[in-house]
Amino acid sequence: MKLKKVLCIAMTAAVTAVSMAGCGSGGDQPAGTNEGADTAQEGESDGGSESDAAAGGTFKIGGIGPLTGGAAVYGIAVKNGAELAVKEINEAGGINGAQIEINYQDDEHDAEKAVNAYNTLKDWGAQAILGAVTSAPCVAVGSVSYEDNIFMLTPSGTAVDCVKYDNAFRVCFSDPMQGVESAKYIGEHGLATKVAAIYDSSDVYSTGIYQAFAEEAENQDFEVVAAEAFTSESKSDFSVQLQKAKDAGAELVFLPFYYSEAALVLNQAAGMDFKPVFFGCDGMDGILAVKGFDAALADNLIFLSPFTPTSPDETIQKFVGDYETAYGETPNQFAADAYDGIYAIKAAMEDGNVTPDMSPSDICEALKAAMVNITIDGVTAKNLTWEASGEPSKEPMVVKIANGDYAVVDDDDAAAGGAEAVNNTEAADTADAE
Amino acid sequence: MKKLNKTTKSNLITYGMVIVLFVLMQALVSAGQISSLLQGLLVPLCAYIILAVSLNLTVGILGELSLGHAGFMCVGAFTSAFFSKCMAEAIPVSGVRYFLAILIGAACAGICGILIGIPVLRLKGDYLAIVTLAFGEIIKNIVNILFIGRDEAGFHFSTKDTLSLGLSADGEVIVNGPQGITGTPKDSTFAIGVVLILITLFIVLNLIHSRSGRAIMAIRDNRIAAESIGINITKYKLMAFSVSASLAGVAGVIYAHNLATLTAQPKNFGYNMSIMILVFVVLGGIGNIRGSVIAAIVLTLLPELLRGLSDYRMLIYAVVLIVMMLFNWSPKAIAWREQYASKFKRNKKEAA
């Protein structure tokens, strides 16, 4: 009897061993093929022609983002934007002749799953990571990729800690930067003296911006008269928050959250005859595309954005056109960030003279050094450069909605635009009163 | 050795299974024969096994459906991560710090279990399930509004935002509301995780087969009969519930010390997670501890091993889950399995 049990355990162990070993060798396989390719390349370069050697290789770039669940819309946009850029680069001859291959893994907007996705990419042989898309997964991936020394560029991880380590860079603005820039813009352009803020206290992005905004507001020439929070469970009714803002006499309401909720806020504010200036952040981009939303309500809405699909700029128009043909929808800023991210990796790889046969760790060292040298003329900014801290250096665009369309406010006449906005609101008020 | 009784033998098989798996994985890791995906999954696996075993104590042995198990995990995770973050400099030896963190996580979750258990265990059945569900959500939401900072003047608390903490210039925000705790030291290792699994199994299996365990099962089987022979219902119910809660807290400690960031979202500490743990328990068999261990391993690995299917991954995962449930627990499938098993045994006997 006892022998039988022992035998049973041994058998189970054996079966598990076989299956695990199967996984192991499966994971090793790409590495093995790489080695094969390496030797082949060495052979070729011995022959003298270096470009041939490079042309034989493939750069493996891994992507991490939510493809399922509540945040899937961001992850899918990033995936599409990145794939579009990869396709263009490959068609134009690749990076120094080497093609790019991208493998995009789902993280379900969960830190633990993001680490699993990262490990999957590592097994696949990823040489650089574009991700993660959302903040908490990004922080988790950042710490493991730092241990492995794999280069990481997040298109849209806005939390401060996303680029804590020196191997991590980002394309988007950080949360505090958006908050500070918003407060500065409102203060410097004299948009209002009494400001109310409504934010999502259960969301990292929203609270991050609000906190920085509130801190900077103390240095600016306006007063925060009301700060009202809501949570992801109660994001359909904003009448309480709006009423408080109205009672406090707010002339401007700061809305640091995504457009889907902002559309409701604008709707409900119109319903209670409250017409301040509304000011948003980059999450506001896309509000005019909300189904059933009266675009007239968004008139004079001002927001900071790195990307506007209607901009007349040639690069942007080409990107928007290609994206619409490929995926049948207008790209949002996530897609744009990812598109620029891939081009940034390309530029850094060219600057660092990276070849596909280098190890991910060597590539990381080269890219880290190259990131501070490169300048990108991308769709989210002109003359986009990076600091060694991982932060991008670019000017936020100020976008104002007028006549149902986005319009970029030039910095020179922004003050005039701002004043105009206030006047318009007043005009609207008087019109209503009549 | 021949005289080992049946329960001891069954327990030894359970311990043996865990130890064999551990030795096997360690051997594979040291031989470099294992993918980094699997290697990264080892520590979370430990946490999920402990969660499944501890929930089985409430659901299988106490016979009460609890949907707030992730709440206790959350308490353990946040208290221990808070401790480790504060003490990262004061206690540089990671082993000692982690040991204390485990104790703190288990104690806090256990205390929460008692506090919640006193009112909640007066209910039974569906009502208890709903109340525990609500409790889990409360814990998650409290953690999401909690701001704690530290400077030279001590700790500052707030439920509003970081500004109202009133920190001095070199102060540090430790718990940052919905952004949670970032930068928890990564102290969890596979070896410690396995030791904790063994301790959990030891506690749970010994409790089940002790006098108290029999009292708990008597309450499950017939409350009135148990009460009539003088069993203190409240005491034993509370005992099972709080032990289960503090073990969930231990799982939370492992979880928190494995990732650089800790946020309380529906996905990891809300009802989604509670249901997930319940699925482990139900698939493994209610009241079957060894089954919980196996189910936790299978269901944690499955979605990761299906990554190759990309877009269809979650769909296939759900389908496989349904098929496994049917195969394991539908009466027809059980009858079919038994028929084949007896045929197999008969054949063997005849051959002998």
Side-chain angles (χ1 to χ4, degrees):
Chain A
M1 186 65 192
K2 198 182 160 242
L3 197 80
K4 210 164 126 195
K5 291 286 180 199
V6 172
L7 198 75
C8 187
I9 294 174
M11 290 286 278
T12 324
V15 169
T16 333
V18 169
S19 58
M20 296 294 177
C23 297
S25 58
D28 282 345
Q29 217 155 22
T33 11
N34 264 359
E35 276 161 32
D38 290 353
T39 39
Q41 273 169 24
E42 274 161 29
E44 272 181 333
S45 50
D46 282 347
S49 148
E50 206 184 312
S51 61
D52 274 4
T58 315
F59 280 114
K60 291 184 163 185
I61 298 180
I64 303 171
L67 297 179
T68 55
V73 56
Y74 315 128
I76 291 169
V78 166
K79 180 173 184 256
N80 291 347
E83 280 174 354
L84 184 68
V86 166
K87 203 173 127 237
E88 282 179 17
I89 293 173
N90 281 344
E91 277 168 7
I95 300 172
N96 287 337
Q99 296 282 297
I100 314 175
E101 196 184 334
I102 186 158
N103 181 348
Y104 202 87
Q105 289 291 333
D106 185 11
D107 69 8
E108 303 168 37
H109 184 34
D110 182 77
E112 189 198 335
K113 295 284 171 1
V115 173
N116 294 343
Y118 167 79
N119 281 326
T120 310
L121 292 171
K122 203 171 102 184
D123 291 335
W124 174 68
Q127 290 158 317
I129 303 282
L130 181 80
V133 172
T134 41
S135 288
C138 194
V139 176
V141 172
S143 95
V144 283
S145 70
Y146 174 68
E147 280 165 22
D148 295 328
N149 203 25
I150 293 182
F151 179 78
M152 175 175 138
L153 176 69
T154 169
S156 51
T158 51
V160 183
D161 281 336
C162 287
V163 292
K164 187 176 166 192
Y165 298 105
D166 63 357
N167 67 319
F169 291 81
R170 75 170 125 222
V171 180
C172 59
F173 295 117
S174 69
D175 290 335
M177 187 189 163
Q178 285 208 52
V180 170
E181 289 294 332
S182 303
K184 274 188 186 156
Y185 188 85
I186 295 170
E188 282 166 10
H189 295 91
L191 293 186
T193 52
K194 286 182 173 179
V195 173
I198 300 176
Y199 65 101
D200 182 350
S201 64
S202 65
D203 183 49
V204 179
Y205 165 80
S206 191
T207 37
I209 296 178
Y210 164 71
Q211 282 169 11
F213 178 82
E215 274 165 39
E216 178 62 28
E218 285 172 8
N219 309 327
Q220 294 294 337
D221 207 13
F222 62 84
E223 186 191 355
V224 178
V225 288
E228 297 301 320
F230 64 94
T231 66
S232 54
E233 275 94 12
S234 60
K235 59 180 179 188
S236 52
D237 182 10
F238 296 94
S239 50
V240 178
Q241 289 90 340
L242 285 168
Q243 191 62 48
K244 280 192 179 159
K246 192 179 176 185
D247 292 347
E251 295 155 4
L252 183 145
V253 178
F254 182 53
L255 310 172
F257 42 85
Y258 287 109
Y259 60 86
S260 43
E261 288 100 51
L264 292 173
V265 170
L266 294 181
N267 230 331
Q268 289 168 11
M272 57 200 282
D273 210 19
F274 178 42
K275 290 196 177 61
V277 179
F278 286 103
F279 195 98
C281 289
D282 58 1
M284 196 64 82
D285 179 31
I287 190 164
L288 293 179
V290 175
K291 284 202 179 73
F293 177 68
D294 181 6
L297 292 176
D299 252 7
N300 296 322
L301 171 73
I302 307 172
F303 61 94
L304 296 183
S305 175
F307 171 71
T308 329
T310 50
S311 159
D313 183 88
E314 247 173 67
T315 338
I316 296 178
Q317 278 315 310
K318 184 177 169 301
F319 166 65
V320 173
D322 290 348
Y323 192 94
E324 279 170 347
T325 335
Y327 306 106
E329 58 184 19
T330 310
N332 58 14
Q333 51 142 334
F334 287 86
D337 283 334
Y339 184 83
D340 278 0
I342 292 287
Y343 272 101
I345 292 179
K346 171 182 183 274
M349 280 181 163
E350 282 168 355
D351 186 80
N353 281 324
V354 175
T355 52
D357 54 336
M358 285 164 77
S359 76
S361 179
D362 293 341
I363 290 182
C364 179
E365 291 302 325
L367 291 185
K368 267 194 293 197
M371 276 307 274
V372 293
N373 299 334
I374 59 168
T375 305
I376 302 276
D377 259 348
V379 291
T380 61
K382 297 279 145 208
N383 297 325
L384 181 56
T385 56
W386 277 268
E387 291 156 26
S389 65
E391 297 289 353
S393 126
K394 55 180 179 182
E395 281 294 313
M397 262 187 273
V398 179
V399 177
K400 193 173 133 190
I401 296 179
N403 304 324
D405 212 346
Y406 303 103
V408 180
V409 182
D410 283 334
D411 224 26
D412 302 333
D413 55 47
E420 207 176 286
V422 177
N423 290 338
N424 281 351
T425 339
E426 278 166 10
D429 273 345
T430 38
D432 266 16
E434 282 160 10
Chain B
M1 275 305 263
K2 274 235 142 93
K3 288 278 173 280
L4 278 180
N5 73 35
K6 213 175 140 199
T7 43
T8 320
K9 202 181 276 167
S10 161
N11 290 356
L12 284 180
I13 292 175
T14 313
Y15 298 135
M17 187 179 76
V18 174
I19 293 171
V20 166
L21 277 178
F22 170 68
V23 171
L24 200 80
M25 295 316 287
Q26 280 303 64
L28 284 176
V29 169
S30 52
Q33 277 299 310
I34 187 170
S35 64
S36 22
L37 171 65
L38 217 52
Q39 213 171 332
L41 276 172
L42 292 177
V43 176
L45 263 180
C46 295
Y48 290 126
I49 290 174
I50 294 177
L51 279 173
V53 170
S54 65
L55 184 65
N56 211 339
L57 185 62
T58 309
V59 176
I61 308 304
L62 181 61
E64 296 288 7
L65 189 59
S66 164
L67 294 177
H69 217 54
F72 297 119
M73 181 190 175
C74 183
V75 172
F78 272 87
T79 49
S80 64
F82 178 71
F83 169 80
S84 294
K85 182 114 198 259
C86 291
M87 291 295 159
E89 280 152 27
I91 313 176
V93 188
S94 69
V96 178
R97 188 178 58 220
Y98 192 47
F99 179 70
L100 290 174
I102 291 168
L103 291 185
I104 287 175
C108 291
I111 291 169
C112 268
I114 295 172
L115 289 180
I116 304 303
I118 291 171
V120 162
L121 287 173
R122 283 164 204 280
L123 301 166
K124 54 185 174 182
D126 308 347
Y127 307 105
L128 184 123
I130 301 298
V131 173
T132 49
L133 178 72
F135 157 71
E137 292 302 296
I138 290 173
I139 293 272
K140 192 194 81 198
N141 284 325
I142 288 180
V143 167
N144 267 335
I145 58 157
L146 203 59
F147 292 86
I148 304 177
R150 178 175 65 167
D151 59 13
E152 61 281 348
F155 289 106
H156 299 252
F157 297 87
S158 164
T159 53
K160 206 160 157 274
D161 52 38
T162 46
L163 268 190
S164 52
L165 286 174
L167 286 177
S168 64
D170 54 348
E172 176 195 20
V173 180
I174 297 173
V175 183
N176 195 0
Q179 303 186 42
I181 302 178
T182 43
T184 320
K186 281 194 188 179
D187 293 337
S188 293
T189 62
F190 184 45
I192 297 177
V194 169
V195 170
L196 290 173
I197 293 178
L198 289 175
I199 294 174
T200 306
L201 285 174
F202 183 77
I203 292 174
V204 172
L205 290 174
N206 274 304
L207 178 64
I208 293 174
H209 299 299
S210 69
R211 185 189 161 86
S212 310
R214 284 189 295 275
I216 293 168
M217 283 187 280
I219 296 170
R220 173 192 69 186
D221 293 337
N222 192 326
R223 183 193 162 102
I224 297 169
E227 214 165 5
S228 73
I229 55 165
I231 291 175
N232 185 342
I233 304 257
T234 318
K235 177 185 154 193
Y236 286 110
K237 269 188 155 182
L238 208 54
M239 180 193 277
F241 197 70
S242 54
V243 167
S244 167
S246 71
L247 290 175
V250 172
V253 177
I254 301 180
Y255 182 93
H257 290 74
N258 183 44
L259 295 169
T261 168
L262 184 66
T263 52
Q265 279 164 348
K267 184 111 202 158
N268 51 7
F269 291 129
Y271 53 85
N272 287 13
M273 181 58 118
S274 295
I275 302 277
M276 192 70 214
I277 307 166
L278 193 63
V279 170
F280 295 160
V281 172
V282 174
L283 182 70
I286 292 175
N288 182 347
I289 301 295
R290 203 188 309 154
S292 295
V293 175
I294 298 171
I297 296 175
V298 170
L299 287 188
T300 313
L301 287 183
L302 193 60
E304 298 305 328
L305 297 182
L306 288 176
R307 272 188 186 277
L309 299 168
S310 56
D311 289 353
Y312 300 99
R313 184 165 76 102
M314 293 326 264
L315 178 69
I316 302 284
Y317 171 69
V319 171
V320 170
L321 188 60
I322 293 171
V323 170
M324 280 201 295
M325 259 331 162
L326 284 177
F327 180 74
N328 266 2
W329 302 112
S330 93
K332 276 272 162 65
I334 293 175
W336 181 82
R337 280 206 319 262
E338 275 169 359
Q339 198 188 334
Y340 266 75
S342 62
K343 220 184 240 172
F344 184 65
K345 262 183 198 158
R346 216 180 315 131
N347 286 349
K348 240 187 173 178
K349 258 182 204 159
E350 277 165 14

